[in-house]
Amino acid sequence: MEEKSTQPATTHKRSSVLSSSDDGPVNEVGLNVSGHKQELQRNFGLLSLCGLGITSGNVWIALGGALNVAIYNGGPPGVIYEFIVASFFYWIIAASIAELASAIPSSGGVYHWATITGGRYGRACGWFAGWWNALAWLLGFASVVQFVAVEAVSMYAIMHDGFVTQQWHVFVTYIIATWIFVLIVLYLNRALPSIEMIGGFTVVAGVLVTIVVCAIMPHVNNQPYASNFSVWGDWQNETGYTSNGFVFLLGMLNGAYSVGTPDLVTHLAEEVPHRNLPKAILFQFVFGFFSGLLYLIPLLYGITSIDDVLASVYLFPLADIYRQAAGTKAGAVGLVLLAFLPTFISCIGCCVTASRVFWTLARDRATPCSRFFSNVDQNTHNPFRAIVFSGVFVTVLGCIYVGSKTAFQAFVGAYVILSTLSYVTAILPHLLGGRKNVVPGWFWMKGITGFIANGISSAYIIVFIVIFSFPFSLPTDAAHMNYAALITGGLTLFVLLFWFIRQSTYVGPRQVVLDAHVLAKDAI
């Protein structure tokens, strides 16, 4: 076998790179690429992994669910064009993520990659990337559960005139839903691939049926369509900012929220054949972009009154849009149900991802009670305790929702900034190190292509972290302020303080290159 060499992953005495030239102790045979014993079962194949990607990626539903906010940033044209531009940049970020996932297929994802690409600073880079990514996914899990709760309550409200939605209605639904998802992930581990394939089917079927209904029903009900100008050219700046260019950039946050999960499937790296990761990322982004764009067009043509959408009494903005497009309450409920089913399964995937990220930190002693949370249950064959922790974390956030909806939205709104911070912590050192610290996998952007992709990815993230921290509109007040930067800063301070407490015992991941003799047989 041809030998490959690489630079040390970190300066810490227990972090190293193992290649085919290393003899290594016998008891290390059977490791996965993370340098740990392979404990999880490789239940997922390419089809189920793609199902997870498009279901938990949830692009078209995320776009629709945030439409009442996005439409302030330019009206219908702004929604479409901002989504297209945001998708373009996230395609480049996804390519940068995919090549790292191909080279280092570890469930730690950006946490592991940042440790390797960071070179001599790898331990610190990995620590912050890992915690930012874990917090992002825990908050993302909470956000999608809230989506499910809001959809369920909105369907009830549509069919019951005079029903006044209260925050506790959403809270109760939120708590019940959270623990349904946690229990499914805990006890149906072997069924998860099948569930995600079903989820993929509901996403594809749901968007196709919704597109057809929104395109046809206004004509059937003799209702007017929106004009071509209102959909494609009638720019409406309702934010209070005077610069339309800045409003466009600020509006890209809505597109980033819908497509901003390029690392999603990578956290199942130790549960799939590693060559499937870049393929699943590609499928997720191809389907997500085209389904999102093709969904937006008939949806926006079906809106006869933007003012009614903005003044809707329903918590889920699509409810009123669907009522306008379908012309009946039953039709609106049916369309919301088509969004509800894939969102329900999406929460299962988000729970899996959030728990896997937290578990990978725990097994490297990067979390409180690391030995407790790093355990893999021998009966359920999953990180049982980390899954329960994810459920408890989301439950606590739900309690915040009861006290203050603004505070809850402030936490979950930090997802985009936290996740992109974790990406740039892996990608930027990779670029600055001349892309030499990583042994290439089967998917690798060669020559100048890789430098350009990494450069654009890093520049986009750095610039837009600043832009996405601005208030959504002016004038602002305490109830409508953008607290994402404040929450990110507060959480980062916690991560920094914990780094000083734990750095002496923190192990950090190590890389086992894909030709190493110590790899488990199913690791490649």
Side-chain angles (χ1 to χ4, degrees), residues 188-208:
L188 297 179
N189 188 56
R190 293 189 64 86
L192 290 179
S194 298
I195 292 173
E196 295 302 336
M197 283 192 283
I198 294 171
F201 172 79
T202 63
V203 169
V204 175
V207 72
L208 290 176

Side-chain angles (χ1 to χ4, degrees), residues 269-308:
E270 295 166 31
E271 298 169 66
V272 296
H274 84 274
R275 283 181 173 267
N276 287 341
L277 294 175
K279 299 175 185 176
I281 293 172
L282 175 63
F283 183 82
Q284 174 189 339
F285 272 78
V286 170
F287 178 83
F289 174 73
F290 286 104
S291 63
L293 183 61
L294 294 176
Y295 166 77
L296 279 178
I297 294 171
L299 184 71
L300 294 173
Y301 269 107
I303 297 177
T304 56
S305 173
I306 291 180
D307 291 337
D308 287 348

Side-chain angles (χ1 to χ4, degrees), residues 1 14 32 48 56 101 126 176 192 197 220 342 353 363 419 421 424 448 467 483:
M1 184 179 294
R14 294 193 57 184
N32 55 39
S48 54
S56 296
I176 294 172
L192 290 179
M197 283 192 283
V220 172
T353 303
R363 69 182 180 182
S419 61
L421 273 174
V424 79
I448 195 173
I467 292 175
Y483 293 100

Side-chain angles (χ1 to χ4, degrees), residues 80 393 483 491:
I80 294 175
F393 185 95
Y483 293 100
L491 293 174

Side-chain angles (χ1 to χ4, degrees), residues 441-491:
W442 73 269
F443 171 72
W444 189 259
M445 292 181 287
K446 298 180 181 179
I448 195 173
T449 303
F451 286 94
I452 292 174
N454 295 164
I456 292 175
S457 298
S458 300
Y460 167 84
I461 291 172
I462 292 170
V463 170
F464 276 84
I465 282 175
V466 176
I467 292 175
F468 291 163
S469 299
F470 276 78
F472 303 122
S473 61
L474 294 178
T476 190
D477 54 33
H480 300 92
M481 183 62 184
N482 182 357
Y483 293 100
L486 177 64
I487 296 298
T488 300
L491 293 174

Side-chain angles (χ1 to χ4, degrees), residues 41-46 48-49 265 268-277 522-523:
Q41 297 177 333
R42 295 187 185 271
N43 295 327
F44 282 79
L46 179 58
S48 54
L49 194 63
V265 299
L268 275 77
E270 295 166 31
E271 298 169 66
V272 296
H274 84 274
R275 283 181 173 267
N276 287 341
L277 294 175
D522 63 356

